Amino acid sequence: MTTVFATYRVRKDQLEQFDDALRGHWRLLHDSGLVTDEPAIVLARDAEDGPVRMEIFTWRDEAAVDAAHEHEAVMALWGKLESWCEERESGPSVEFPHVTRLA
């Protein structure tokens, strides 16, 4: 299983829309059989250069990562989420590093 620690640098004027859509992200992935039953952890941070949202979830397996990139509804939601983000000096608009849980 692969865990993702997603970071989104959200445009201030899009924060409400973004948060509403992000609330449904894990449910869409789960209902599509792409992630484990453990709900996503969603975190918020008001950084000096603007709002940041972080989401931690675990893919069902490596094949699910590829399947998500071919899933029409998932790709549509990802496109919306990304369009509401912006690149900043602190980093790119979105980051999706895959990490390994140690504990």
Side-chain angles (χ1 to χ4, degrees):
M1 291 185 290
T2 299
T3 298
V4 175
F5 192 108
T7 301
Y8 307 92
R9 291 173 181 84
V10 185
R11 295 191 336 243
K12 288 180 185 178
D13 64 335
Q14 299 297 317
L15 189 56
E16 188 174 331
Q17 284 178 227
F18 183 91
D19 284 348
D20 286 344
L22 187 60
R23 283 184 194 88
H25 181 232
W26 179 85
R27 174 60 50 202
L28 173 60
L29 295 175
H30 187 263
D31 290 350
S32 302
L34 300 170
V35 295
T36 64
D37 290 337
E38 182 178 356
I41 297 169
V42 179
L43 307 164
R45 178 174 175 242
D46 290 323
E48 288 183 21
D49 62 352
V52 176
R53 297 298 184 257
M54 294 152 284
E55 181 185 32
I56 304 167
F57 63 89
T58 303
W59 294 108
R60 181 194 71 229
D61 55 31
E62 288 296 322
V65 179
D66 294 333
H69 287 88
E70 297 178 13
H71 192 288
E72 188 175 327
V74 170
M75 292 302 296
L77 179 55
W78 286 353
K80 287 180 185 178
L81 292 172
E82 190 166 349
S83 75
W84 295 325
C85 293
E86 62 186 358
E87 185 174 331
R88 300 185 190 145
E89 286 185 30
S90 60
S93 59
V94 295
E95 295 179 87
F96 301 103
H98 291 193
V99 297
T100 301
R101 290 185 184 204
L102 298 178

